[in-house]
């Protein structure tokens, strides 16, 4: 087969390059293959496969890969964002000279969109900051002029854009309106007397935000605003709203680089990624924009001072841009608080419940550490459970940080909001002191002989019953089911081990090691390990709940620990892949559990702030996102 | 209830702070609560809850939080790692002066481990780089001297450590032996003639690696090595191996800061996180270490020049440290190539198959974009599918980068290996152009009316059958099941919508919006949206597979696209939470599918390099981890 020899030696190099990353010490033998089916071999022509993946033509992608060998494209690490941006400006200028532009200045029919995409594709392998700077300028900025601007504007500005002599940016997003173009608040009012548009930022949330290349690089900006046309005869009549329109506005002086009159420019600050592009913030203080600088191909004020639209009065259909909006929002209407969305509650509150569960598990394992462990069984329990908790806790930490980051949108990426930095700093935990995946296998190895097949109860205990809500919410039911899950998964793992040993014996290699077998059945091993750990966590949580109920004066209603324990356990029953897979409960019971989760989320929502604040993280260690994020983004705040 | 008023206003501020992050435009009304159960209210005393979480005593955690108000602890972003490290050194010196040390120099009984943990806990909220520097010095370095060193060593070095006058580090980990202390290769030979230990780094993989504070900060190091004692009378006899021991070694001159004779120190370079601690690499070239500098509480050479051990000859039991190893590894035995582990194959290859699937989906959606969409149905399909693919593709990208990072262990965090930087740079994609979670809801909204309840086939089509392997692997079966999944999830979503509308009507608010309903049933909405998208992806993959089979000369065996499609589809059937939940297949069939996945992974393994290389990413855009990572880490390579 073509390329197979060279592929093999390359493969060996590649595989060798990974060999010291995991703690993998068990000797291997051929019986690890015993479970494999007799699938036909694979018929692989490497070159033909490349052609298939490439599709019709990837000439420009490959060409750009070659260009990236130029010394300007040596990787830089450990540099400031200003250094990265300066270097990416140099790179973009260099690229502009290479003459591969998607011919913005040529007749439209010649534009090769596929070429542009290939270029962007190749650049993104190198540095997403560079591909963003390149795409914002040559795609969004230049493309807007080309698609929406008059011929005069195109003739003047596109050559300056093609050469990157006059970098531009694309100002749509606002602080208060991330992905909802129709909701933007920046205003453009036609001034009949002056014969120009007046562009204005009415408030802090209307500032243009995350504008790629606006902070340092761009001189021009395509600015999107809500257009208002005054009544032709009656000045007391409210102006007519024409929807969003784009305007070409100089934001910096070409020689001095200082912001144009009425324009305020700030940096979005340090981010947890993409620091290779300078995201900026823009304010417009009644900036006058000449009539011809409106990108008015589909609508604008004509030479007679009358508004004309390609779409007639149906301005809401105006651009494909608006297709990403998610509701029939009117300008000025109050948006819903995000935390009132069930979707948002579902993505965050179960993680909080799990944090409670794992918090008490951490306390319990610390107590076990401090206990005199003369009992060997206790010592073993400590070693096994602490190894396993290391995996579950660090993954939970990373999952929670990621969910939080996404729930905060772009604000979650700002260094000052700390989530991105925490993610980056905590990432190591998933592999240090042992790879998390491997740790779970060691837990399985350490525990499997404690659970003999004979001790497994029958499934019928659960599947045939229809439980009441109060049963489903009870500690006893939840703990019983978690316990049953241990026994059932131990049973399956034992069966797999026995099968592997029997097969090995039949193949004349009876000395197959347990490490080897557990690796072969890694999914079953990890399922069993998780079952042991989740049961341990839940039982410690319930112990703490019982203890606190006994020591505090009880009142009517559910205690917060009970609420968190109920949500934690039912969420696992609803969402844990292995629990679902094993079908311990009838489908109507599973449905009921999901509905109960919905009710519990509602109860959490009613109490969310004290439930979070109880962890006692002081205000000075929280980012602006946890406080007044609008105030943190006013124009006269410091760049952060 | 206590604190409830202040909690509410704080809650309002917090909630408001999130309100502009998502595009959430639908008006809300009270009927969103209709599905909630009549669970009892929650009885929450915020202060009592804090006490419960804190456990017995968190005085020192709170005290340290207060100390972090000092100006030295202002956050710094956009600075080099050298600046961060210098600042953390200043901070650690400052902390050392505050007199809260865990009394390393006092009698052992006075050590308050809980105090130390509280301090570390608080510091980790501030900066994990600082808590690592602090923990490595005061915990690992000082703790080793205290627990293992002689009284003389303690008296001399602990006061200098307590004051941070002489920072130290803890050198256990080696390049080739991440979490496997027993496998380290650094050697210590007892030199009878000189009466000292000779510490040596025998090869590149034996270099001490990731040693916190070694690159810039530390003057002393606790160095772990395999101890060999020569035969007392017969020099031709191989030396006796005594297991791993620790030695206290000056690695820098206290006044000049230059490395001690025979010691080479290099920086681990820029990382994607934790740059606030200076991780270093250490080599020892036959460095002489006096007998008394062995931390020999449990074993070492005595004054008579004879090796003595607390454990007798059973050195393998020596330290709790060794408990984290995972197999019975002998020194010098070849370790298994990581990619030969089934666990490793399971964590990476299904992601590769999904990458193939989504690659062709991306190509297909690009073709649809370039198609003249005069047909409104086609236009809608393009908008809906492209919105949904945005979510699935960007999440898949982030998941793959994370899995790759973890599979590469610590090397995955080195900036030069690029994975960490890519993760950081791509993170934004999960929320820009629309939050991924919300995008899936819009897909559901866009498609739900295309799937009427009447068109749903019965479940019996699948559940009662026992399929052959070749059926399970076939495009027809897989596509049929994916299609069935769409109809079944549409059916459930329709039922939920109908129920919500009926309830709203009964409650006198019949005008409940679809956005509102889909949010209330966000899990069902997303399940339906994913079903539509996964079917679309699979059908495009199969189309490409069919096309390529027709255009290439066929041979015996499976084509690579067929292999990737089979793995992709069966992996979904084995692991997709929703597919599992709905129990389309009998349990024996599910078992069979998992076994087939095992066989497919084996076939992928045999062809892994060409399957990856086919994407055509050139060598100069890959980090050292993809090439010769040992060569990239030799002592005379540049710091990276």
């Amino acid at each position: 087969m073509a390329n197979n020899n060279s592929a093999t030696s390359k493969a060996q190099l590649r595989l060798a390059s990974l060999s010291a990353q995991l703690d993998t010490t068990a000797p291997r033998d051929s019986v690890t293959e015993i479970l494999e089916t007799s699938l036909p071999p694979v018929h692989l022509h490497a070159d033909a496969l490349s052609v298939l993946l490439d599709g019709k033509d990837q000439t420009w992608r490959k060409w750009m890969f070659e260009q990236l060998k130029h010394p300007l494209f040596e990787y830089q690490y450990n540099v400031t964002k200003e250094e990265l941006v300066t270097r990416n400006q140099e790179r973009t200028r260099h690229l502009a000279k290479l003459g591969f532009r998607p011919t913005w200045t040529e007749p439209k029919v010649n534009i090769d969109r596929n070429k542009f995409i290939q270029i962007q594709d190749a650049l993104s392998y190198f540095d997403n900051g560079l591909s963003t700077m390149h795409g914002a300028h040559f795609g969004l900025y230049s493309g807007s002029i080309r698609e929406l601007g008059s011929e005069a504007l195109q003739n003047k500005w596109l050559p300056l854009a093609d050469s990157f002599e006059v970098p531009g940016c694309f100002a749509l997003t606002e602080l208060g309106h991330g992905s909802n173009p129709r909701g933007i608040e920046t205003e453009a009012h036609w001034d009949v007397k002056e014969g120009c548009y007046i562009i204005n930022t009415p408030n802090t949330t209307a500032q243009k935000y995350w504008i790629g290349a606006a902070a340092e690089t761009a001189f021009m900006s395509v600015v999107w605003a809500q257009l208002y046309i005054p009544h032709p005869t009656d000045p007391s009549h409210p102006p007519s709203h024409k929807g969003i329109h784009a305007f070409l506005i100089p934001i910096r002086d070409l020689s001095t680089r200082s912001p144009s009159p009425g324009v305020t420019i700030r940096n979005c600050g340090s981010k947890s990624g993409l620091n290779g592009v300078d995201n900026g913030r823009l304010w417009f203080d009644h900036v006058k924009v000449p009539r011809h600088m409106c990108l008015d191909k589909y609508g604008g004020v004509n030479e007679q001072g009358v508004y004309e639209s390609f779409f007639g009065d149906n301005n809401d259909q105006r651009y494909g841009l608006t297709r990403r909006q998610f509701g029939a929002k009117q300008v000025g209407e109050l948006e819903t608080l995000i935390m009132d969305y069930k979707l948002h509650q579902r993505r965050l509150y179960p993680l909080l419940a799990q944090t409670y569960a794992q918090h008490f598990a951490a306390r319990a394992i610390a107590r076990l550490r401090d206990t005199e462990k003369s009992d060997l069984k206790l010592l073993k329990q400590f070693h096994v459970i602490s190894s396993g908790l290391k995996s579950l806790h660090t993954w939970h930490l990373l999952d929670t940080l990621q969910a939080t980051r996404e729930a905060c949108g772009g604000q979650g990426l700002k260094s000052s909001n700390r989530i991105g930095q925490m993610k980056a700093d905590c990432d190591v935990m998933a592999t240090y002191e042992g790879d998390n995946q491997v740790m779970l296998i060691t837990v399985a190895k350490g525990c499997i002989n404690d659970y003999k097949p004979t001790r497994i109860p029958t499934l019928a205990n659960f599947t045939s019953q229809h439980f009441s809500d109060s049963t489903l919410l009870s500690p006893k039911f939840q703990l019983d089911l978690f316990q049953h899950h241990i026994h059932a998964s131990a049973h399956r793992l034992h069966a797999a081990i026995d099968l592997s040993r029997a097969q090995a014996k039949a193949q004349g290699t009876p000395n197959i090691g347990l490490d080897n077998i557990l690796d072969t059945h890694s999914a079953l091993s990890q399922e069993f390990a998780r079952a042991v750990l989740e049961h341990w966590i839940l039982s410690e949580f319930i112990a703490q709940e019982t203890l606190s109920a006994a020591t505090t004066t009880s009142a009517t209603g559910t205690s917060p620990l009970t609420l968190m324990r109920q949500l934690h356990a039912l969420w696992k029953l609803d969402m844990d892949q292995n629990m679902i897979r094993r079908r311990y409960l009838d489908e109507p019971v599973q449905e009921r559990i999901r509905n109960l989760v919905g009710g519990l989320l509602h109860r959490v929502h009613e109490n969310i702030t004290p439930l979070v604040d109880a962890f006692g993280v002081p205000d000075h260690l929280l980012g602006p996102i946890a406080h007044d994020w609008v105030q943190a983004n006013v124009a006269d705040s410091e760049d952060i």
Side-chain angles (χ1 to χ4, degrees), chain A residues 491-622:
Chain A
H491 180 67
R492 278 183 293 272
L493 186 53
H494 273 299
I497 293 170
D498 292 347
L499 179 66
S500 284
R501 286 197 169 131
Q503 288 173 315
K505 204 171 167 186
Q507 296 191 358
T509 52
N511 294 326
I512 182 170
L514 184 57
D515 286 324
N516 200 332
I517 296 176
L518 294 178
D519 174 52
T520 302
H521 304 285
S522 62
L524 285 180
S525 302
Q526 294 190 346
E527 176 176 343
F528 167 66
R530 282 179 185 272
V532 169
L533 295 164
E534 293 291 1
H535 176 268
W536 196 88
I537 292 170
L538 181 61
S539 61
E540 291 297 335
F541 200 172
I542 289 170
Q544 186 60 46
E545 180 188 350
T546 311
L547 203 65
S548 72
T551 56
T552 56
T553 52
S554 187
T556 53
T558 303
S559 85
L561 290 203
T562 299
L563 174 67
M564 290 283 103
R565 187 264 305 158
Q566 288 171 340
L567 176 56
H568 170 70
L570 292 189
W571 182 259
K572 291 279 169 203
L573 294 184
D574 186 28
M575 298 297 283
D576 183 275
Q577 202 197 40
N578 293 318
M579 295 239 190
I580 302 168
R581 178 191 309 280
R582 300 312 173 182
R583 309 179 186 185
Y584 298 131
L585 301 167
D586 278 353
E587 280 196 276
V589 177
Q590 287 286 159
E591 262 333 286
R592 194 67 215 132
I593 286 174
R594 177 164 283 187
N595 286 344
L596 283 172
V597 165
L600 294 169
L601 290 174
H602 182 66
R603 284 286 176 255
V604 174
H605 187 55
E606 293 171 331
N607 297 280
I608 185 59
T609 305
L611 281 170
V612 169
D613 284 349
F615 286 94
V617 184
D619 281 354
H620 60 287
L621 296 181
L622 299 171

Side-chain angles (χ1 to χ4, degrees), chain A residues 213-335:
Chain A
E216 304 283 344
T217 308
F219 289 91
M220 300 295 291
S221 180
V222 168
V223 178
W224 294 82
Q226 305 283 357
L227 177 58
Y228 296 90
I229 304 286
H231 193 272
T233 53
D234 179 4
S236 70
H237 197 281
S240 170
H241 177 221
K242 300 295 184 188
I244 66 168
H245 290 63
F247 304 86
L248 187 58
I249 303 180
I251 57 169
R252 278 195 174 83
D253 186 275
L254 272 172
S255 50
T256 66
R257 301 193 59 87
S258 39
S260 307
V263 177
T264 301
I265 307 177
R266 307 303 301 261
N267 201 305
C268 285
S270 174
K271 297 157 287 184
S272 56
L274 272 190
N275 282 308
V277 64
D278 50 312
N279 292 97
R281 310 186 276 152
L282 299 173
W283 285 256
F284 301 89
D285 182 7
H286 298 89
V287 171
K288 290 182 185 173
V289 175
R291 197 187 59 79
H292 74 276
M293 295 291 268
C294 177
L295 301 178
D296 58 2
K297 195 157 282 180
Y298 298 113
V301 174
N302 65 17
E303 284 181 26
Q304 288 73 45
V306 176
Y307 181 79
E308 270 187 333
S309 166
F310 177 85
F311 298 106
D313 280 342
N314 190 2
N315 290 307
D316 272 354
Q317 293 293 327
R318 193 158 182 251
Y319 297 121
L321 278 168
T322 55
R323 75 180 161 78
R324 288 215 178 88
Q325 68 172 30
F326 312 113
K329 171 79 168 53
Q330 295 300 310
V331 175
E333 185 182 307
L334 277 181
E335 288 177 286

Side-chain angles (χ1 to χ4, degrees), chain A residues 380-500:
Chain A
K380 185 183 153 190
Q381 191 195 26
F382 171 69
H383 281 176
V384 167
I385 299 293
S386 62
S387 301
L389 288 184
K390 184 269 182 185
S391 293
L392 298 198
H393 285 203
T394 56
W395 272 331
H396 173 61
L397 172 62
L398 295 177
D399 289 347
T400 303
L401 287 169
Q402 185 65 27
T404 312
R405 194 311 269 167
E406 293 184 23
C408 291
Q411 292 290 320
L413 296 165
K414 294 191 67 155
S415 297
S416 58
N417 283 327
R418 310 211 47 235
I419 304 169
Q421 189 63 44
M422 282 194 148
K423 269 181 54 185
D425 284 351
C426 294
D427 196 5
V428 65
M429 298 179 185
T431 52
Y432 75 8
E433 313 295 335
D435 175 275
N436 279 1
Q437 303 260 8
V438 177
M439 298 296 263
L440 290 184
I441 308 267
T442 68
V443 170
K445 187 182 175 185
C447 296
I448 185 61
N449 288 322
D450 299 341
Y451 295 90
K452 297 292 180 199
T454 50
R455 291 173 54 202
I456 298 170
T458 59
L459 288 176
N461 287 354
F462 291 98
T463 46
S464 62
Q465 294 186 50
H466 286 260
F467 301 96
S468 69
D469 282 4
S470 64
T471 300
L472 294 173
L473 292 164
S474 71
K476 179 168 176 1
F477 166 83
Q478 293 169 356
L479 209 52
D480 282 353
L481 190 48
F482 276 49
Q483 176 79 20
H484 177 74
H485 183 43
I486 301 181
H487 288 290
S489 52
H491 180 67
R492 278 183 293 272
L493 186 53
H494 273 299
I497 293 170
D498 292 347
L499 179 66
S500 284

Side-chain angles (χ1 to χ4, degrees), chain A residues 156-201:
Chain A
K156 172 158 186 192
W157 294 104
L158 286 182
L160 294 167
D162 275 10
S163 64
F164 206 60
E165 281 171 87
V166 179
C169 63
F170 181 85
L172 172 62
T173 302
E174 298 179 357
L175 174 61
H177 313 278
S179 317
N180 182 20
R182 213 186 287 193
I184 62 171
E185 297 179 90
T186 301
E187 295 175 0
H189 289 268
W190 175 250
D191 186 318
V192 179
K193 208 169 147 193
E194 300 262 355
C196 68
Y197 299 97
I198 309 287
I199 310 289
N200 193 46
T201 305

Side-chain angles (χ1 to χ4, degrees), chain A residues 338-405:
Chain A
I338 284 180
M339 283 316 304
D340 282 341
Y341 279 84
K342 303 293 177 205
L343 173 65
H344 225 56
Q345 297 171 15
R346 261 185 85 83
R347 73 204 282 187
L348 293 175
Y349 296 168
L351 292 167
L352 178 65
Q354 192 174 339
T355 303
Y356 267 78
Q358 301 200 167
H359 175 86
F360 289 116
R363 289 244 317 265
I365 199 73
R367 278 198 306 276
L368 194 55
R369 181 199 61 215
D370 295 337
T371 309
E372 189 54 54
K373 287 173 286 287
S374 51
D375 182 354
L376 265 183
K377 209 174 148 188
L378 215 58
L379 185 70
K380 185 183 153 190
Q381 191 195 26
F382 171 69
H383 281 176
V384 167
I385 299 293
S386 62
S387 301
L389 288 184
K390 184 269 182 185
S391 293
L392 298 198
H393 285 203
T394 56
W395 272 331
H396 173 61
L397 172 62
L398 295 177
D399 289 347
T400 303
L401 287 169
Q402 185 65 27
T404 312
R405 194 311 269 167

Side-chain angles (χ1 to χ4, degrees), chain A residues 96-111:
Chain A
K97 285 180 194 150
L98 294 180
F100 64 89
R101 289 272 74 72
T103 59
W104 294 116
T105 47
E106 291 175 27
K108 211 174 219 177
V109 70
N110 286 350
I111 286 191

